[in-house]
Each structure stands twice: as structure tokens, then as C-alpha cells.
Amino acid sequence: MKLSRQLPLNALRVFEAVARLGSFTKAGEELGMTQTAVSYQIKLLEEHVGEMLFLRQARRIELTSTGERMLPKVTEAFGLLTEAVTEARGQDAGILTIHSTPTFASHWLARHIGAFQIEHPGLGIRILRMNRSADFFSDNADISILRSEAPPPNMESQELFRLNFAPMLNPKLAETIGGVTTPADLLKLPLIGASSKWWGMWFQSNGIDIPLPGTITIDADGALDLEGSAAIAGHGVALLSPFLHQEELEAGRLIMPFEVFKKDDRSYWLISPKSRRQSVKVQTFRQWLLKTLPPQILLPSGAAQ
């Protein structure tokens, strides 16, 4: 029997899109189909399987237990198909597309990726900055560096490190108050991102438990690259990572008066689809990254999950 008669491939593709996007409408927009056509394909698949795959609620849909069991394998299967077509076009070995959090991309990856390209001159590098997890189907990413409490499900994932944070500021700003010698001195200066609970936690860890001043020069919603740039420009004090801002500290554009750190509550993860676990370019980049990151920041686990 032909494969097309054994498996309703089009219906499976629609199922994957609906489950990933959580919406019949959004799946139709991505696939260029009407909502009616999407619903019809799901109905065909449910008849083929003999079970309901989605629970239709008033304003949302949920996978049934059968749908939840199917989704990981269907996702991996379409990933393998995408990989096969990409390799057939000769694109697999040519370009490595990396999705990364903005600050890690600009303050570490961009500064070190030249060494990787020297080692692998035949491989082009494309870096995309984004805070969300990569959609490996629509974004055409090979690998993702993500900051989160846990990795996305059904992915090849490796926990890399957790950052420490400490107050940093432009030395000229410190001079405006005669220098910064005690944690309380920072209360005399504008605090970047002062709406964040992190400042309160940092001051409390230093024995200061009072309301923070209302002066906020910029609140970048945790975007460390923007907060770091504001601190370098002298607009205030920011809680930044010594690892990501090492060059600025060494050049004197920033100073770190206190080595009292606040540990991040999220980890950086290296993520790739399970369908690409055998990809040479993905394996090559993973090995280079683990070799190049400072050993002192890497978490001891180091095992793919």
C-alpha cells in the first residue's frame, strides 16, 4: 500500500500546526488554508486514528491525551522531512542559523564566533537575536540559545550556565557622589530597572531593607544589553553580569564596586530539534561552544536531556 494511502500526511501537517500554535485560525494563516479546511483535515485525521485529538473549548483548544501522545513523534517526523529536503538542496552544510538571546548574542557570541569561522571556513553563520524560543519549522533555525527556567519539551537540550549579577556603573557617575564605597551609596544614584524586584533582593542581601528611590532612568524589562548601554552612558546603576560585560569592566567603561552577586533564577540552554541530533554542523557548533565557554561558568551536568 502506498504511503499516501496509509498516512494522511496533509492532515498530520495541519495537526502539528494547530497543536503548536494552539489555534485553528493561526494554523490556517500559517498554512494558507481557511479555518473550515483546517477543521476538515483534523476531522479526517481523527477518523483515521479513531480518537479525538483536540478538546474544543469556547475560546481555546486543548490536546486530548491521544493528541499529546502523538505530537512529539509527529513533530520529530516533520523535522526529519525538513532536514531531508534541506540536505537535498545542499543547504545543510552551507549555513548555520543560530537563535540567541540578544545580550548573549552581542556580548559573547558575536565576539567569539570569528574563531569558530576560522576553524570551519566552509560554514556560514547567521545569528538572529530573539528572547523567545525558536520555532524550528517557521524560523528555519538549526540551534537556539535560550534563557528560561526549563527547556522546551520534545527538544534536544543542554543546560549551559546560570549568570551572576552585580551593580555596575560608569566611573564618572560614581565620582559625582565622591565615589561608591558602601552599598548604601548606590541609593544616591539613579537605578536602572529599579522597578525590578532584583534591586530589592540585592539591597536586602546587603542589610538594607528600605523602599527603593523612585528615580528610574530606564526600565528595559530585563534587556541586559540595553541596561548595560545605559549604564555605560552614565545614566544610572544597573545589575549586570560580570561574564557578559567583562570587556567593559576591563576597559574601564564600567566599574563593579561590590562583588556581592545575585544568582539568576533561570538557566541558559542550548536547544535543537531531536531530528537534527545527527547534523554535523549542529554537533560541530555544540562542541565548539562547550570548549570555548569559560569552564568556571558551565554547570556540571553537561548532559543532553
Side-chain angles (χ1 to χ4, degrees):
M1 186 179 292
K2 293 182 178 179
L3 178 62
S4 60
R5 293 179 181 175
Q6 289 179 312
L7 294 174
L9 294 178
N10 191 45
L12 285 167
R13 185 68 181 96
V14 173
F15 165 75
E16 185 279 328
V18 172
R20 171 166 45 86
L21 299 172
S23 166
F24 281 54
T25 301
K26 292 179 180 179
E29 291 173 353
E30 179 177 285
L31 299 172
M33 301 171 64
T34 65
Q35 185 174 345
T36 301
V38 170
S39 297
Y40 178 71
Q41 290 296 324
I42 295 300
K43 180 181 177 182
L44 287 180
L45 184 59
E46 288 177 334
E47 290 177 352
H48 183 86
V49 174
E51 297 281 351
M52 294 287 290
L53 300 176
F54 293 98
L55 296 174
R56 282 78 163 174
Q57 307 293 343
R59 295 186 178 180
R60 61 190 178 92
I61 59 172
E62 292 182 359
L63 284 167
T64 64
S65 58
T66 300
E68 289 179 347
R69 290 195 303 271
M70 279 183 56
L71 182 59
K73 293 294 184 181
V74 171
T75 300
E76 184 173 0
F78 277 106
L80 289 169
L81 289 172
T82 301
E83 184 95 355
V85 173
T86 300
E87 290 179 354
R89 289 177 176 174
Q91 297 173 347
D92 182 69
I95 298 176
L96 176 69
T97 300
I98 306 167
H99 283 200
S100 172
T101 58
T103 307
F104 184 80
S106 61
H107 283 63
W108 193 88
L109 188 57
R111 296 173 179 178
H112 293 81
I113 199 66
F116 177 80
Q117 291 184 296
I118 290 174
E119 293 180 21
H120 308 280
L123 186 61
I125 305 297
R126 183 169 176 250
I127 301 175
L128 300 178
R129 293 157 39 105
M130 56 180 58
N131 278 317
R132 64 173 175 82
S133 178
D135 184 330
F136 289 96
F137 290 106
S138 60
D139 295 337
N140 196 32
D142 295 299
I143 204 159
S144 175
I145 299 168
L146 175 70
R147 176 179 170 266
S148 67
E149 294 180 358
N154 306 315
M155 291 285 171
E156 198 82 7
S157 59
Q158 184 164 356
E159 192 174 17
L160 297 174
F161 55 84
R162 289 194 176 197
L163 295 176
N164 288 319
F165 295 89
M168 298 185 197
L169 69 158
N170 186 307
K172 293 183 179 179
L173 180 63
E175 292 172 4
T176 63
I177 60 170
V180 175
T181 57
T182 69
D185 289 334
L186 296 181
L187 294 171
K188 304 173 186 177
L189 298 169
L191 302 179
I192 296 172
S195 62
S196 169
K197 64 179 182 180
W198 283 25
W199 270 118
M201 294 170 63
W202 188 86
F203 279 111
Q204 287 176 8
S205 69
N206 285 273
I208 301 173
D209 191 7
I210 61 175
L212 297 182
T215 305
I216 304 174
T217 58
I218 182 173
D219 187 352
D221 194 27
L224 297 180
D225 52 345
L226 298 180
E227 293 183 358
S229 295
I232 292 170
H235 296 315
V237 189
L239 281 170
L240 301 173
S241 161
F243 165 61
L244 293 177
H245 290 85
Q246 187 62 39
E247 288 192 13
E248 289 77 9
L249 289 168
E250 292 176 352
R253 294 190 293 272
L254 289 173
I255 59 172
M256 186 173 66
F258 313 106
E259 293 192 5
V260 179
F261 297 109
K262 192 274 177 193
K263 191 78 169 181
D264 196 355
D265 53 1
R266 298 182 181 183
S267 295
Y268 279 75
W269 298 84
L270 187 64
I271 309 293
S272 61
K274 290 183 178 180
S275 62
R276 300 184 190 179
R277 69 183 72 182
Q278 300 301 325
S279 170
V280 173
K281 63 181 179 181
V282 169
Q283 291 182 353
T284 300
F285 178 78
R286 180 184 290 112
Q287 293 168 2
W288 172 83
L289 183 66
L290 295 175
K291 177 184 68 175
T292 308
L293 283 168
Q296 63 269 25
I297 74 161
L298 285 173
L299 292 171
S301 56
Q305 298 183 4

